[in-house]
Amino acid sequence: TDENYPRSVDGPEITEAEHEVVLHDEVPVVQKTVEPVERVRLGTETVTEQETVTEQVRSEQIDVDGDINRTS
C-alpha cells in the first residue's frame, strides 16, 4: 500500500554479492493423547458341573498280516 511503501524499499542496495534468506513455513502439529474415561472391574466365576453320559464308545480294530505273538 502507499502507506507501507517507504518501509518496503528501505534497506541495503541489492548487489552482485550472494545473499542468504531464511524462509519459514507453518506446519500443523497434531498429537493424540490417551486419557482415562471409565473404569471397569472384571472377575471370574468357577462353575463345576457333573453329568453322566451314556453312549457307545468308538473302538478301533487293527488287521495285521503275518504271524503275531498274542500274549493276553
Side-chain angles (χ1 to χ4, degrees):
T1 62
D2 290 338
E3 185 178 306
N4 67 1
Y5 177 76
R7 286 186 309 186
S8 67
V9 294
D10 187 24
E13 293 292 321
I14 297 177
T15 63
E16 294 292 323
E18 193 173 296
H19 298 280
E20 186 174 297
V21 177
V22 178
L23 302 177
H24 297 277
D25 190 15
E26 291 183 0
V27 179
V29 176
V30 179
Q31 285 186 324
K32 193 175 195 179
T33 61
V34 178
E35 301 291 328
V37 292
E38 65 182 295
R39 186 180 302 252
V40 178
R41 288 185 187 261
L42 301 174
T44 59
E45 181 179 329
T46 304
V47 177
T48 305
E49 285 186 25
Q50 199 168 26
E51 188 175 329
T52 304
V53 178
T54 55
E55 196 65 38
Q56 183 176 356
V57 179
R58 188 169 111 186
S59 63
E60 296 180 8
Q61 294 181 357
I62 300 173
D63 294 332
V64 178
D65 293 334
D67 284 341
I68 308 176
N69 270 340
R70 292 187 182 195
T71 55
S72 20

